[in-house]
Amino acid sequence: MPDLEAFEDRLKKFKYRGKDVSARRQQRIAANLQLRKAKKDEQTLKRRNISLFSNDLFSQEPVKQASLILEDIIKGVNSSDPMVCLMATQAARKMLSQERNPPLKSIIEAGIIPKLVEFLKVSLLPNLQFEAAWALTNIASGTSEQTQAVVKGGAIQPLIELLSSPHMSVCEQAVWALGNIAGDGPAFRDNIISNNAIPKLLDLISTNIPVTFLRNITWTLSNLCRNKNPYPSQEAVLQILPTLSELLQHHDNEILSDTCWALSYLTEGHNDRIHHVVAMGVLPRLVELMTSPELIILTPSLRTMGNIVTGTDQQTQMAIDAGMLKVLGQLLRHPKPSIQKEAAWAMSNVAAGPKHHIQQLITCDLLPPLVALLRNAEFKIQKEAVWTVANFATGATQNQLAMLVHSGVLEPLLNLLTAPDLRIVTIILDIVSFFLQEADKMHEKQKLCLLMEEVGGIEKIEALQLHQNCHISHSALNIIEKHFSGEEDGDSLPNPGLRV
């Protein structure tokens, strides 16, 4: 028959592999990989440049020319005449800047990349450097194989050297190219970092650079924070963090968005990584950004704070002290389902903590929006809400548990017993068993049984005795036999917290 130990053991299979609350939080990471990953439609991995820069040096066509076909481009880039090389490189760039179906594969197969890399080094012809860097940027915006062709062509080091160019547009295009390469994965990211790109990137930031340039630098820095297996080195992270902390105060939405994404990447994984971010004192600003009406800012700031509360109790308390829970209630009610889900996931990790964290969830009045999600939200969000209830229940005091039941959580929770997700049904049965066991200790089981009967819960549990999944059917049978067999004890003293 299910008892407290059986309930906790079963939940360990789902999320706990350690016995402390920090380990419980870490298992919620594994259970929610789809939330932990930055999806490609949330922050762009790579960007293709399809428009001209406004800088006077490069806004004009260098020469009058007819459109060149690929064969002409191949001949042109191999010419000894620098102006012919420039004309051919520009023609290649234009091909690669087509909005639809740019011929990346054809350009690569034509063997042009080594010449483009060579042109990056021609400091006397900044126009040629600019066009070559632009062409390479767009090639690197393609598939991993196409990005690899740029790296194999030797582009990384000369692109980093261009970060010191006296021509801002050349610098900016080099930043863009490096961002595309870094976004491809950890190997290319670390290649760029090991070639000392970070100090050069940070040196470009000043108060008088155009906001468009600062956007590109911020995005490239975020890609240098991105990806795992391995994560970026601690040395690189500590180099970048002070600048991210400053950028978090900027007024531009795109800069704020990419800065928050960078911090979300840096708070993934180990508690030490979370510590480096928290130590920068950015939590109050992140909480402030969680109130932004702009989804491109709200999403990554919420993701970052959600990551932080997967950490230690102290790190979670720092997030709470910064005001996270005061904002979370409105996000649980947000009209965007993706925000509701992220907020519910964050709440579930706070609920996986010690009793004083659970109490702060109650104090901040987060139980009503939790019940509303269980009742009305999309199923993917309801699953997060179920996890929150499970985490809350296993760590709560008897009084806190009574407040949870009194909040109205039971009816929508029991209604989800008809859900098609076997794991969620199993967790709900364990929660119900735990509720009944704790109510028995408080001499309140009869009242709880009556409440369950009134909301149709007993019928749903009885029906699950015939479920094809033997684990579910066995759990349901145990609940019915132990708590609804008609052999209950006599009347018990009431507990105010569990009155219906």
Side-chain angles (χ1 to χ4, degrees):
M1 293 184 181
D3 55 17
L4 177 60
E5 291 182 357
F7 173 62
E8 291 179 338
D9 287 343
R10 191 175 299 155
L11 282 186
K12 284 178 183 178
K13 297 176 183 177
F14 297 134
K15 61 187 172 72
Y16 309 151
R17 289 194 185 138
K19 294 183 179 180
D20 57 87
V21 291
S22 293
R24 288 161 55 183
R25 287 199 178 101
Q26 290 297 320
Q27 285 307 302
R28 289 292 289 125
I29 297 174
N32 291 278
L33 281 176
Q34 73 276 18
L35 279 173
R36 307 288 282 114
K37 293 179 181 178
K39 300 171 186 175
K40 290 184 179 180
D41 59 353
E42 291 175 337
Q43 195 204 24
T44 310
L45 277 166
K46 301 179 182 181
R47 297 172 174 169
R48 199 157 55 91
N49 186 3
I50 59 174
S51 61
L52 282 169
F53 284 77
S54 60
N55 188 288
D56 290 341
L57 178 62
F58 304 112
S59 62
Q60 302 298 321
E61 297 294 321
V63 287
K64 299 282 185 179
Q65 66 176 76
S67 296
L68 301 181
I69 62 174
L70 186 56
E71 289 77 6
D72 296 328
I73 291 172
I74 295 170
K75 291 177 183 177
V77 297
N78 287 288
S79 171
S80 58
D81 184 340
M83 291 308 295
V84 174
C85 291
L86 176 57
M87 183 172 63
T89 302
Q90 188 182 78
R93 180 266 296 171
K94 286 184 175 181
M95 280 188 178
L96 295 165
S97 300
Q98 296 172 15
E99 288 203 43
R100 294 185 179 181
N101 302 318
L104 276 65
K105 183 177 179 183
S106 299
I107 292 289
I108 293 171
E109 291 175 348
I112 293 173
I113 287 178
K115 297 301 295 186
L116 296 175
V117 171
E118 183 182 323
F119 296 156
L120 296 176
K121 305 171 187 177
V122 185
S123 58
L124 295 178
L125 294 173
N127 289 48
L128 182 58
Q129 291 178 307
F130 172 73
E131 294 287 355
W134 188 342
L136 290 168
T137 296
N138 287 358
I139 296 172
S141 74
T143 64
S144 290
E145 184 180 359
Q146 290 161 344
T147 306
Q148 187 174 27
V150 173
V151 175
K152 283 187 174 180
I156 287 180
Q157 187 57 49
L159 284 169
I160 292 174
E161 293 300 322
L162 287 184
L163 299 178
S164 302
S165 169
H167 303 285
M168 186 179 294
S169 292
V170 173
C171 289
E172 183 170 1
Q173 195 60 67
V175 168
W176 196 330
L178 290 168
N180 277 345
I181 294 170
D184 194 76
F188 294 162
R189 176 204 67 203
D190 289 344
N191 189 331
I192 292 170
I193 291 172
S194 66
N195 278 283
N196 206 37
I198 292 175
K200 292 179 181 291
L201 284 166
L202 300 182
D203 285 345
L204 291 171
I205 299 176
S206 64
T207 55
N208 60 351
I209 65 169
V211 69
T212 52
F213 192 2
L214 187 56
R215 286 171 183 165
N216 267 334
I217 295 171
T218 306
W219 173 72
T220 295
L221 289 173
S222 76
N223 271 357
L224 291 175
C225 298
R226 194 171 192 153
N227 290 307
K228 57 188 82 174
N229 299 323
Y231 290 110
S233 69
Q234 178 175 302
E235 180 184 1
V237 170
L238 294 178
Q239 279 183 300
I240 293 174
L241 265 175
T243 297
L244 293 179
S245 181
E246 293 176 8
L247 290 171
L248 206 61
Q249 304 300 323
H250 206 277
H251 58 83
D252 182 76
N253 287 348
E254 289 186 34
I255 290 170
L256 287 173
S257 177
D258 285 328
T259 302
C260 288
W261 279 119
L263 293 173
S264 79
Y265 306 144
L266 295 180
T267 49
E268 289 183 345
H270 308 299
N271 294 342
D272 287 345
R273 289 169 52 79
I274 295 174
H275 168 74
H276 294 314
V277 173
V278 170
M280 295 302 300
V282 297
L283 297 193
R285 177 59 172 161
L286 284 168
V287 169
E288 181 183 350
L289 294 175
M290 285 170 61
T291 66
S292 173
E294 301 293 336
L295 276 178
I296 64 169
I297 297 172
L298 168 56
T299 300
S301 59
L302 173 56
R303 175 77 57 84
T304 303
M305 294 301 289
N307 289 348
I308 289 168
V309 297
T310 67
T312 66
D313 290 345
Q314 182 181 6
Q315 290 164 346
T316 301
Q317 187 61 54
M318 291 177 73
I320 294 172
D321 291 342
M324 176 188 178
L325 297 186
K326 295 176 182 177
V327 177
L328 206 59
Q330 67 190 53
L331 299 183
L332 291 168
R333 300 179 177 94
H334 197 277
K336 189 84 171 177
S338 62
I339 298 300
Q340 293 178 0
K341 185 177 180 183
E342 293 264 1
W345 172 70
M347 184 177 175
S348 75
N349 279 314
V350 176
K355 293 174 176 59
H356 63 275
H357 287 174
I358 292 173
Q359 186 58 43
Q360 289 175 87
L361 293 175
I362 296 171
T363 302
C364 290
D365 203 27
L366 294 181
L367 291 184
L370 174 67
V371 172
L373 291 182
L374 283 170
R375 193 180 302 276
N376 301 317
E378 295 180 8
F379 182 61
K380 63 182 180 181
I381 303 165
Q382 290 175 319
K383 289 198 294 184
E384 291 298 328
V386 169
W387 275 111
T388 303
V389 174
N391 287 348
F392 189 114
T394 55
T397 64
Q398 286 188 340
N399 283 338
Q400 290 169 341
L401 198 61
M403 294 187 74
L404 178 64
V405 174
H406 185 69
S407 72
V409 75
L410 200 58
E411 182 179 4
L413 193 68
L414 290 166
N415 286 341
L416 288 172
L417 285 173
T418 59
D421 189 311
L422 301 185
R423 190 182 195 191
I424 290 299
V425 171
T426 301
I427 294 170
I428 294 172
L429 287 172
D430 287 341
I431 294 170
V432 169
S433 178
F434 184 72
F435 281 167
L436 289 164
Q437 179 176 304
E438 291 301 299
D440 196 19
K441 292 178 182 178
M442 293 185 284
H443 308 292
E444 281 292 310
K445 190 169 77 170
Q446 288 185 6
K447 290 181 179 294
L448 182 58
C449 290
L450 178 61
L451 176 59
M452 289 178 59
E453 185 176 16
E454 288 176 351
V455 299
I458 298 176
E459 292 179 3
K460 292 182 176 68
I461 296 171
E462 286 177 336
L464 289 175
Q465 293 177 103
L466 301 176
H467 198 282
Q468 60 184 6
N469 180 281
C470 60
H471 186 75
I472 289 175
S473 61
H474 183 66
S475 296
L477 177 63
N478 281 342
I479 291 173
I480 296 299
E481 287 186 345
K482 183 172 183 178
H483 301 289
F484 299 98
S485 63
E487 300 175 1
E488 305 300 331
D489 297 331
D491 292 339
S492 54
L493 295 174
N495 181 301
L498 279 178
R499 292 190 180 185
V500 299

